Amino acid sequence: MCTCIAYENGDFYFGRNLDLDCSFGEKVVVTPRNFSLTFKKAGELNTHFAMIGMASAVPSFPLYAEAVNEKGLCMAGLNFPGNACYLPVAEEGVEIASFEIIPWILSQCESVAQAETYLKDMRIVDLAFSEQMSPAPLHWMLADKEQCLVLEAVKDGLKVYENPFGVLTNNPPFDYHRMNMNNYLNLSAQSPENRFSQKLNLRPYAQGMGAMGLPGDASSASRFIRAAFLKWNSVAPKDEDSNVSQFFHILDGVAMVRGSVITEAGTYDVTTYSCCVNVGTGDYYYKTYDDSRIRKVGLYETDLEGTALMIL
C-alpha cells in the first residue's frame, strides 16, 4: 500500500510513502545521461535524460519505485493487485514491461503532454525482470507542474485518467476514487456552521469539527481522501525548508504505524520510507521508518554524464 502526492507552493514537489511489510533493497539511485538502458522489447537507449529516485539496488537496470527526470517529469508506481492486467507479448506497438515503464518514459519525455503521445503506442506486457522477480501489479501517477495523469493497465486495456487531485493510493481503480471524493465535499478546515436546523442551538465544541467524517483508517480509499484533504488545505511559506517540512507532514498524515495494519500473511505493513523531490532543483529528500531524519541527495551534485548507475 502506498500514497503519492504532487504539491505546488511556489516550487513544485513530488513524492510518496512506500508502505510494505519488508524492504526491497531500496536505495537512492541516479541514472546518468549515458547509462545504457536496455529494454526487453523496446530496444536500447544509450543517451537520455538523467533521473533520480528510489530503486532496488540492482546495478544493471534502475528498478524505480518513483523517480523524477532533469526536465521536471515525475512518475511513481503504486501497488494495484487484483486489477492490474498486463498483455501477452505480441510484437505489436511499443511493448514495455511494468518494471520498465518509469525509466522508459522519464528517459525520453520532458512533460506529461509529450508522454501522452508515447502512451498511444505503448503496450504494458507481462514480462518479469528475472525468474526471482515476477511482475508487480502496479498503476502509476505521472505528473509535472502543469498536469497529472493516472495510468492503469486493466482487462479493458490501458486507461489514462486526468488526475485533478494530484493524489494516488491503491485499489480500487482511479475512477472509483474520483467518484468517492464527492462523498466528502462537505468537509472543511474551517469551524462548521449549524446547518442541521436553525431551530436548534447547535455549535462546535472543539477545533477541527469542520472535518468530522474525514476517514482515519489505513485503507487506500480512506488514505486517498485524507491525503487530498491535507494537501488541498495545506498552508506553508514558500521557502524550501517550509515546503519540504509541509510535504512530509502531509505524508505523515497517511503513514502506517507498525502493528496497525496486519496483512493476510500475518506481517505488518509500515511506511518503509517517505520521499519528496523539488522537481526544479533536483533535490531528493527522504526518511525511513526507523530514522526520521530527513536526508537530501542532489541530482545535480552527481556526474550526470556518467555511464554507470549511481547507487547512493
Side-chain angles (χ1 to χ4, degrees):
M1 297 195 289
C2 306
T3 305
C4 181
I5 61 173
Y7 172 82
E8 184 176 359
N9 189 46
D11 285 347
F12 180 65
Y13 300 82
F14 183 89
R16 58 101 60 80
N17 285 340
L18 190 134
D19 306 320
L20 277 177
D21 60 352
C22 62
S23 169
F24 63 93
E26 62 275 3
K27 297 287 185 180
V28 179
V29 174
V30 172
T31 302
R33 296 169 183 147
N34 297 308
F35 173 78
S36 182
L37 287 167
T38 302
F39 302 98
K40 287 187 176 289
K41 291 293 180 180
E44 186 174 355
L45 286 173
N46 293 315
T47 59
H48 47 76
F49 299 134
M51 62 195 84
I52 186 171
M54 196 71 79
S56 181
V58 177
S60 61
F61 193 86
L63 298 173
Y64 282 117
E66 83 291 320
V68 58
N69 72 11
E70 60 183 293
K71 298 299 183 180
L73 185 61
C74 318
M75 194 169 188
L78 292 85
N79 202 26
F80 196 48
N83 288 294
C85 183
Y86 304 141
L87 298 171
V89 173
E91 308 297 340
E92 298 175 1
V94 180
E95 297 185 318
I96 302 295
S98 59
F99 67 87
E100 297 174 331
I101 187 171
I102 292 178
W104 188 77
I105 289 178
L106 296 190
S107 63
Q108 305 174 81
C109 299
E110 298 187 28
S111 65
V112 171
Q114 184 182 5
E116 283 187 283
T117 64
Y118 282 70
L119 295 176
K120 294 176 182 178
D121 296 323
M122 189 178 72
R123 302 175 74 248
I124 304 179
V125 292
D126 190 19
L127 289 174
F129 178 72
S130 67
E131 291 183 2
Q132 296 76 31
M133 196 177 297
S134 59
L138 301 172
H139 61 173
W140 296 268
M141 190 162 104
L142 177 66
D144 60 19
K145 194 172 183 178
E146 305 299 328
Q147 192 178 4
C148 184
L149 300 179
V150 171
L151 282 58
E152 294 183 339
V154 294
K155 289 182 179 179
D156 294 336
L158 180 62
K159 303 291 186 181
V160 179
Y161 301 96
E162 290 284 346
N163 182 356
F165 313 113
V167 169
L168 187 63
T169 55
N170 312 102
N171 295 336
F174 182 72
D175 55 359
Y176 170 88
H177 291 296
R178 185 170 54 186
M179 178 60 69
N180 188 43
M181 282 290 292
N182 294 291
N183 292 322
Y184 299 90
L185 57 82
N186 200 44
L187 297 185
S188 174
Q190 298 180 356
S191 185
E193 298 179 2
N194 174 20
R195 286 184 284 186
F196 190 93
S197 173
Q198 294 302 312
K199 297 178 182 180
L200 296 173
N201 183 24
L202 302 176
R203 59 183 183 274
Y205 53 79
Q207 298 294 336
M209 292 180 65
M212 289 186 72
L214 180 67
D217 62 272
S219 69
S220 56
S222 293
R223 282 183 287 109
F224 191 104
I225 300 298
R226 196 159 68 256
F229 181 84
L230 295 173
K231 170 192 164 173
W232 286 101
N233 288 285
S234 168
V235 176
K238 294 183 178 181
D239 61 271
E240 181 73 354
D241 287 347
S242 298
N243 276 329
V244 171
S245 174
Q246 188 77 340
F247 195 101
F248 279 106
H249 280 303
I250 295 170
L251 291 178
D252 287 343
V254 289
M256 294 189 182
V257 176
R258 183 180 288 120
S260 64
V261 177
I262 303 175
T263 70
E264 293 180 354
T267 57
Y268 303 117
D269 266 346
V270 300
T271 298
T272 304
Y273 71 85
S274 303
C275 68
C276 164
V277 60
N278 181 322
V279 172
T281 65
D283 288 334
Y284 182 94
Y285 303 87
Y286 71 98
K287 64 179 183 176
T288 67
Y289 189 86
D290 291 316
D291 188 349
S292 60
R293 293 175 298 173
I294 296 174
R295 304 177 185 183
K296 183 180 80 169
V297 179
L299 174 63
Y300 297 104
E301 295 173 3
T302 64
D303 179 14
L304 296 188
E305 299 298 335
T307 58
L309 292 179
M310 287 173 272
I311 300 173
L312 308 174

